[in-house]
Amino acid sequence: MRKVKNALKRHGINKVKVGTSMAMDVLESSYPPSNGTFRSDIATRVVKPMLQFLNRTKSFYFLDVYPYFPWSDNPKSINLDYALFESRNITVTDPGTGLVYHNLFDQMVDANIFAMARLGYPDIRVWIAETGWPNGGDYDQIGANIYNAATYNRNVVKKFLAKPTVGTPARPGKVLPSFIFALYNENQKPGPGTERHFGLLYPNGTSIYEIQLDGEVPKLGYKPLPKPTNNEPYKGKIWCVVAKRANGTAVGAAMSYACSQGNKTCDSIQKGKECYRPNSLVRHASYAFSSYWAQFKKLGGSCYFDGLATQTIKDPSYGSCKFPSITL
């Protein structure tokens, strides 16, 4: 950041602010917000000199704020309406400050503000570099749907554009410049299904749901949204199988990788074993993907394989061949 700022200065460009985006995992404590504390492994070595730079150059603390993730990790303790800016009667009072919170977004932002103050920088401005809610995801990803995504993004836009400016409980009335993430569903992005479903538009440019970014359309001014079906955790078995239209050569390589991992991952598809027949690449790879995922999901393994695999709740087992699964 120093080098970029110096380069801009050499070219006479003085109005560009330089910063870097921070995720919520830079905090080791975020609740209550007044207890916000940067992780001990980066607080002194990384964050403090960065805050010094931001303060000296009058730049912003750029922050990614996704209430979806803490809510989906703990839906029994965090009310969904509180995460979606929909709560009317739910409040959280910070015992350290007495500040009252009406939504999860404000809690998350203020935790970072208090963390900065704890390092001696209470006044650096915050810019929301990313915020949004996924409009779809995998079977094991609760609450990722069009209804919740539209509700969250419409409400957060209203918050950002409210007049007079709302700010947060720790900084009432302060402007929060912000970006919505994202414009398009990134359909080729790796990782869990939600990673490909944060857009306002499909990759072909059509709208996923109605939204006006001027914040002036009332809720009743939009067409009805499809009712959510996954706001409660899916209860049942899930398998990981080869996706439609997956490239055969790539599937073969992915199967080889899956079979090389874990304990007896692909024993059942060896010649003479119960899942060898029919000798089909798709069936063998689907077994390998399911077996791999069943072993490694708890360790962070995903059912993706560079877009070659997809989750299913339809049991692909047949005869004496039983495919491994995960149970939520």
Side-chain angles (χ1 to χ4, degrees):
M1 286 192 288
R2 292 192 189 105
K3 289 180 178 179
V4 170
K5 186 65 177 176
N6 289 336
L8 290 168
K9 191 174 180 179
R10 281 198 301 272
H11 289 276
I13 302 170
N14 299 312
K15 292 186 178 180
V16 173
K17 298 301 181 185
V18 177
T20 190
S21 185
M22 306 289 272
M24 286 298 297
D25 64 1
V26 298
L27 301 183
E28 67 181 18
S29 175
S30 61
Y31 184 83
S34 62
N35 199 37
T37 308
F38 289 109
R39 288 187 353 232
S40 57
D41 61 319
I42 60 173
T44 302
R45 184 174 58 88
V46 178
V47 179
K48 193 164 186 176
M50 184 195 77
L51 295 178
Q52 184 179 27
F53 169 85
L54 298 178
N55 188 61
R56 177 172 57 82
T57 60
K58 296 182 173 59
S59 189
F60 294 83
Y61 180 85
F62 290 91
L63 178 63
D64 298 348
V65 184
Y66 289 101
Y68 170 75
F69 292 112
W71 170 77
S72 62
D73 284 343
N74 202 359
K76 291 183 178 179
S77 299
I78 301 174
N79 183 277
L80 177 58
D81 284 343
Y82 188 74
L84 293 173
F85 294 92
E86 287 285 286
S87 63
R88 299 294 176 265
N89 304 314
I90 302 167
T91 59
V92 173
T93 301
D94 188 319
T97 60
L99 295 175
V100 178
Y101 290 86
H102 297 269
N103 60 76
L104 184 56
F105 176 95
D106 284 350
Q107 276 190 230
M108 296 168 73
V109 173
D110 279 0
N112 282 266
I113 289 172
F114 282 108
M116 287 192 286
R118 191 163 267 109
L119 288 183
Y121 295 92
D123 300 318
I124 293 176
R125 296 174 295 174
V126 173
W127 187 307
I128 306 303
E130 296 181 15
T131 192
W133 194 284
N135 57 65
D138 298 323
Y139 286 108
D140 59 340
Q141 294 185 293
I142 181 176
N145 56 63
I146 288 175
Y147 185 95
N148 292 346
T151 300
Y152 178 84
N153 281 329
R154 290 171 182 174
N155 285 338
V156 81
V157 166
K158 283 186 177 295
K159 173 185 173 64
F160 294 150
L161 298 179
K163 295 179 181 178
T165 305
V166 178
T168 69
R171 290 184 178 174
K174 297 293 185 181
V175 174
L176 267 180
S178 307
F179 292 117
I180 298 292
F181 186 87
L183 183 57
Y184 293 96
N185 273 359
E186 299 175 277
N187 58 317
Q188 296 184 44
K189 190 175 183 179
T194 50
E195 291 296 303
R196 294 177 289 284
H197 290 89
F198 271 92
L200 304 181
L201 307 174
Y202 291 109
N204 65 8
T206 60
S207 296
I208 298 170
Y209 50 83
E210 292 180 301
I211 185 168
Q212 288 291 334
L213 298 180
D214 57 14
E216 294 182 1
V217 177
K219 184 183 293 188
L220 295 178
Y222 292 111
K223 295 176 184 177
L225 293 163
K227 293 296 181 184
T229 59
N230 64 346
N231 283 348
E232 298 291 333
Y234 174 76
K235 294 180 174 63
K237 294 181 177 181
I238 309 176
W239 293 265
C240 182
V241 297
V242 173
K244 292 180 180 178
R245 296 183 291 278
N247 177 275
T249 302
V251 167
M255 179 177 70
S256 296
Y257 168 78
C259 290
S260 71
Q261 306 297 307
N263 183 29
K264 300 181 179 179
T265 303
C266 293
D267 274 16
S268 294
I269 56 175
Q270 302 308 309
K271 193 169 185 177
K273 294 296 185 73
E274 60 270 23
C275 295
Y276 178 72
R277 297 287 183 186
N279 186 8
S280 154
L281 173 63
V282 170
R283 282 193 184 268
H284 283 185
S286 292
Y287 181 93
F289 292 169
S290 276
S291 183
Y292 169 89
W293 193 41
Q295 288 189 62
F296 289 101
K297 183 180 185 298
K298 289 184 178 179
L299 299 175
S302 68
C303 174
Y304 185 66
F305 292 95
D306 290 331
L308 301 171
T310 187
Q311 294 182 16
T312 181
I313 55 175
K314 183 179 179 181
D315 188 354
S317 303
Y318 57 94
S320 60
C321 176
K322 304 301 180 186
F323 278 52
S325 64
I326 68 159
T327 301
L328 299 180

